[in-house]
Amino acid sequence: MSYKQGEFEGAKWSHRLGMKGFHLFEGILKCIPMKLLCRMARCLGGVCWYVLSDRRRIVARNLRIVIDAQLKGDALDAVTKENFKRTFANLLASAKTATFKPEELKKYVTMEGYEGFERPSKEGRGCVCCVTHSGNWEILARIRVFYPQVKLYGSMYRPIDNPIMDKFIYDRRTESGTQMFSKEDGVKAPLLFVKKGGMMGVLCDQFLQQGLFLPYFGKVTGTTSLPALLSRRTNSDSLAVCVRTDSLGHWVSDMGTHIDYTGVDDSIIGHTLAINRQIETLLNKSILDGFWMHHRWKITQDFAPENPKVSALLESIQGELKPFRIIVVMPEVMDKALFTLPMIRAFKSARIDMQISVACPADQTDYWQNQEEVSYVLPYKNSQELAKELENETFYADGPLDMAIMLDDSTVAYQALKKYRPICFGGFVSHPMAKKAKFRVKFNPLHEGAPQHIIESFMGIAREFQLNTQRAELYPSRFQGGDKILISPISSIGTIEHWDDEKWKNLIQLMPNEDIELVGCKKDKEQIEALAKQWNLNCLVGSLDEISQYLQKAKVLFAVDGVLPILAGNRGIPTVTVYSSRLPKVWRPLGSYHRAVYHHSNCFPCYRNQCDQSDKCSQSVSEYDLLAAYRDLVDCSQ
């Protein structure tokens, strides 16, 4: 990096004003003794803890990850407040440290691992120093004061927006002999520097979307691979370096922690994992000195970048990983909720550490509790009930929530979730909180105009998060899986979907050699049992989960539109369904082995639950239409 004379003649007035303000700020800091400055900064941190609620939630979330996921209430507030105080003390102390003369600086720092730090340089080898934002980190920028015998010091940095201030800081750092390498200029120069025997400092504790998604304190996040890259390509040593508070206005700089790569994969991925682990060990000596005011476990729309080698490593240490937690708030209507299962499968299979929880109305509880993709089910009627479920010890102990997918149409669930504030929300653009809650993804299912299947609406959200929604396993489909033909003659929608009992009877008689049974929901028990008795058939009346399990015995389900055909579709069971009020293109189960039978009248689809027409749509469908549809299924399977 170089600067030319007169380069800043056309600088913005805001840049010049910012530089003057910076000089004034440093002048004030010089006048305040270090201990008094730290006391003042701690008081300021306590005030900011109270005032900055959003930042307070970020710190609390991070501390639950790095200390104890079960922290809550007063205990969580106490460590969060202390971190605010230490962070402000470290920030102002760092700014003051930059103004110290060498001998003055030594009064406030104790070095640990002195020999371990200087050994690579003495032996003529390069070294990569893995640095964290912890304690008074300006000490590390002036480390040459303590190690004058080390000839080559280097540091990676990111230029700041104010070019005048950037030049001032650059000159201050380089005047003591430290060479600065901009992250924007690539890795060629840093590699040559380390090969020559230089000691290169690299910050390793910031989120990087283009990095490797590896565990840091057990939770997967984007991590820079630069230290491992420099170390491997130059065959140099690696050290973890950290600063922690020893007492008010005094710090310990831990310099000589050698990073051991034995026991990990001999690759950049394995070495990056080892670096993360060693940094964790150092930070745990004084965890509250860490800078936790940023989203270290940030989430972008591309939250699950594909890397087969990383996936293989994560699978080998799966038991050590803290879960990536998504809560899906279900639609209030049961049949819409059932159509979300392929989307849930897409999210579940996106990451090895994925955990899916479902918040739903009470009548959906039994079904979701028995879906293998779902870890927790949180039933609720109002915000208070959901808040209580979120506080449940078992649920809470798995750590903070990472993402919420809002598929409901009200603010009830959001009011309960906002206290725990997942760092990413997604849902439909029509959600009442989409704008206020700043949904990361606001999918508009009507953007193409033409009606699309309900599943495609939900899958649109998954696609916005860069997930593959075309995989066959998301939509199970089979034929001749069981030996029974099941019939569901009662609809969950209403009487508009009723198909004449006599036609059901005729259909049964057209299949004399088949093992036929009736199925239905508990609320329709009397009707189902009466029809079974009338037609001399066995029947099953149960909860959605019981019916879902029993559907595994079926080779096909004949039904009227409603919950049960969707349930069968989620199991991959073929269906033949009569539609009277809803458009099959939107509401039928997806897959090759599903047939929709309907009569296209002028009023179809009407989306009503009762019909006031003399000629009902469903009555124009005959038992022979259903039998023909079933035979077409058989032909398709062959």
Side-chain angles (χ1 to χ4, degrees):
M1 184 174 183
S2 61
Y3 298 97
K4 300 175 183 177
Q5 188 174 1
E7 185 176 357
F8 304 121
E9 289 180 358
K12 296 179 181 178
W13 67 269
S14 58
H15 291 154
R16 299 184 184 279
L17 183 63
M19 193 65 232
K20 290 183 180 297
F22 180 75
H23 285 310
L24 177 62
F25 177 65
E26 281 199 338
I28 294 171
L29 292 181
K30 288 179 181 179
C31 300
I32 305 173
M34 181 64 88
K35 283 191 176 181
L36 177 59
L37 178 66
C38 289
R39 287 193 182 98
M40 293 168 61
R42 284 180 63 85
C43 291
L44 178 61
V47 172
C48 290
W49 171 85
Y50 183 79
V51 174
L52 304 178
S53 57
D54 285 345
R55 195 62 58 179
R56 185 171 66 240
R57 278 193 288 265
I58 292 173
V59 175
R61 166 189 165 79
N62 288 339
L63 292 182
R64 285 185 63 201
I65 293 170
V66 302
I67 299 177
D68 184 358
Q70 299 187 65
L71 280 172
K72 64 168 65 174
D74 292 342
L76 182 57
D77 286 344
V79 294
T80 302
K81 190 172 184 178
E82 177 60 23
N83 181 250
F84 263 78
K85 290 180 177 181
R86 290 202 195 184
T87 299
F88 275 79
N90 288 328
L91 282 170
L92 292 185
S94 294
K96 183 176 177 66
T97 299
T99 68
F100 282 160
K101 294 179 180 179
E103 292 306 314
E104 190 177 8
L105 175 62
K106 292 179 181 180
K107 298 177 184 178
Y108 301 99
V109 186
T110 298
M111 286 287 158
E112 283 187 0
Y114 192 94
E115 293 181 359
F117 183 79
E118 67 175 356
R119 184 180 299 116
S121 180
K122 280 186 174 181
E123 296 174 358
R125 292 180 289 108
C127 182
V128 178
C129 300
C130 304
V131 182
T132 66
H133 285 101
S134 176
N136 182 344
W137 56 79
E138 183 64 25
I139 292 168
L140 300 177
R142 306 193 61 194
I143 203 66
R144 193 176 182 82
V145 171
F146 303 92
Y147 295 91
Q149 67 275 29
V150 179
K151 302 302 181 184
L152 294 174
Y153 280 104
S155 178
M156 299 292 295
Y157 81 103
R158 182 175 63 186
I160 58 178
D161 295 334
N162 185 331
I164 304 176
M165 193 178 297
D166 185 61
K167 180 181 185 302
F168 177 81
I169 295 173
Y170 179 90
D171 288 345
R172 173 180 278 177
R173 296 273 171 85
T174 56
E175 68 184 7
S176 63
T178 300
Q179 296 186 40
M180 306 297 290
F181 298 90
S182 172
K183 293 181 178 180
E184 298 176 355
D185 295 335
V187 299
K188 185 176 180 179
L191 281 169
L192 290 174
F193 180 81
V194 177
K195 283 182 179 179
K196 291 178 182 178
M199 303 196 77
M200 174 67 70
V202 183
L203 279 168
C204 300
D205 62 344
Q206 294 176 305
F207 174 83
L208 185 65
Q209 177 66 38
Q210 294 76 29
L212 300 173
F213 274 66
L214 294 170
Y216 184 59
F217 284 91
K219 191 171 178 69
V220 174
T221 187
T223 306
T224 178
S225 60
L226 181 58
L229 175 70
L230 293 174
S231 176
R232 279 179 57 81
R233 289 195 180 178
T234 60
N235 196 29
S236 60
D237 288 359
S238 299
L239 295 175
V241 177
C242 184
V243 180
R244 64 181 184 272
T245 302
D246 182 35
S247 60
L248 189 68
H250 191 274
W251 293 267
V252 172
S253 187
D254 194 333
M255 304 299 296
T257 306
H258 180 76
I259 297 175
D260 186 4
Y261 294 123
T262 59
V264 297
D265 183 53
D266 186 21
S267 65
I268 290 177
I269 296 171
H271 286 202
T272 303
L273 177 62
I275 291 169
N276 280 358
R277 287 173 173 172
Q278 191 59 63
I279 289 174
E280 293 168 22
T281 301
L282 276 185
L283 283 175
N284 275 325
K285 293 181 179 180
S286 183
I287 196 70
L288 295 181
D289 265 312
F291 186 78
W292 301 116
M293 288 193 172
H294 67 303
H295 279 308
R296 180 62 183 91
W297 291 267
K298 187 185 292 185
I299 298 170
T300 66
Q301 283 178 237
D302 187 12
F303 71 91
E306 294 184 8
N307 186 322
K309 292 182 179 179
V310 171
S311 297
L313 185 145
L314 292 180
E315 190 170 357
S316 69
I317 58 171
Q318 186 174 0
E320 304 174 18
L321 303 180
K322 296 174 182 177
F324 182 90
R325 306 192 72 190
I326 294 181
I327 185 167
V328 182
V329 181
M330 284 294 155
E332 292 84 353
V333 181
M334 175 63 82
D335 47 6
K336 277 191 176 182
L338 293 176
F339 273 133
T340 66
L341 187 56
M343 182 201 74
I344 287 176
R345 289 170 179 154
F347 275 100
K348 179 65 177 178
S349 59
R351 289 174 54 146
I352 195 73
D353 59 340
M354 182 66 71
Q355 182 193 91
I356 304 289
S357 299
V358 163
C360 63
D363 63 335
Q364 299 180 21
T365 305
D366 288 345
Y367 178 75
W368 291 116
Q369 282 179 337
N370 288 282
Q371 300 308 307
E372 62 181 4
E373 296 86 359
V374 177
S375 298
Y376 294 98
V377 179
L378 286 64
Y380 71 97
K381 292 181 181 178
N382 51 50
S383 295
Q384 292 76 21
E385 286 190 9
L386 182 53
K388 187 177 179 180
E389 292 287 342
L390 291 168
E391 287 279 357
N392 178 277
E393 288 188 8
T394 305
F395 178 81
Y396 190 86
D398 276 355
L401 295 169
D402 296 286
M403 186 188 299
I405 307 297
M406 311 297 288
L407 304 179
D408 57 338
D409 296 315
S410 74
T411 63
V412 172
Y414 177 79
Q415 293 302 321
L417 281 167
K418 68 179 182 179
K419 178 182 177 182
Y420 305 95
R421 192 71 183 184
I423 60 177
C424 179
F425 279 89
F428 295 119
V429 69
S430 58
H431 193 279
M433 297 305 299
K435 186 174 181 180
K436 185 176 180 179
K438 299 178 181 178
F439 280 18
R440 181 73 53 80
V441 162
K442 298 186 286 287
F443 180 69
N444 184 1
L446 302 178
H447 72 286
E448 294 180 353
Q452 61 178 348
H453 198 281
I454 295 293
I455 287 179
E456 285 302 313
S457 299
F458 298 128
M459 284 305 205
I461 296 174
R463 284 192 292 272
E464 290 292 321
F465 282 106
Q466 316 301 320
L467 301 186
N468 182 357
T469 61
Q470 302 302 317
R471 290 176 291 118
E473 59 266 28
L474 304 180
Y475 314 92
S477 185
R478 64 187 181 85
F479 198 80
Q480 296 293 351
D483 56 3
K484 295 180 181 295
I485 289 181
L486 300 183
I487 293 178
S488 174
I490 310 297
S491 172
S492 59
I493 297 174
T495 58
I496 194 168
E497 294 293 343
H498 180 73
W499 197 52
D500 191 72
D501 292 348
E502 192 64 27
K503 292 182 179 180
W504 281 120
K505 181 179 179 181
N506 293 341
L507 177 65
I508 293 167
Q509 291 174 347
L510 290 171
M511 298 182 290
N513 299 320
E514 299 286 359
D515 183 5
I516 302 174
E517 293 184 10
L518 302 189
V519 292
C521 299
K522 288 181 178 179
K523 66 182 183 65
D524 304 315
K525 181 178 180 180
E526 290 185 8
Q527 290 175 274
I528 294 293
E529 289 180 346
L531 289 173
K533 184 177 180 180
Q534 178 182 339
W535 298 337
N536 195 28
L537 297 175
N538 293 325
C539 68
L540 171 76
V541 178
S543 65
L544 285 186
D545 180 61
E546 290 170 335
I547 295 172
S548 178
Q549 299 294 332
Y550 197 72
L551 283 170
Q552 295 289 69
K553 299 181 179 182
K555 60 182 176 182
V556 68
L557 171 72
F558 287 92
V560 286
D561 185 20
V563 167
L564 264 60
I566 304 170
L567 202 64
N570 283 347
R571 283 283 186 179
I573 309 301
T575 62
V576 176
T577 309
V578 179
Y579 290 86
S580 298
S581 65
R582 302 196 297 190
L583 197 63
K585 179 181 178 181
V586 176
W587 289 95
R588 74 175 183 85
L590 280 184
S592 303
Y593 297 134
H594 302 287
R595 296 293 181 268
V597 185
Y598 60 97
H599 175 68
H600 204 302
S601 62
N602 291 332
C603 60
F604 179 84
C606 64
Y607 291 98
R608 300 173 64 179
N609 54 21
Q610 290 184 342
C611 181
D612 57 4
Q613 302 294 313
S614 56
D615 295 326
K616 294 181 173 58
C617 295
S618 62
Q619 301 315 310
S620 299
V621 176
S622 73
E623 56 269 34
Y624 296 101
D625 294 328
L626 267 68
L627 188 62
Y630 174 56
R631 288 173 175 168
D632 182 55
L633 274 179
V634 175
D635 292 341
C636 178
S637 70
Q638 296 173 353

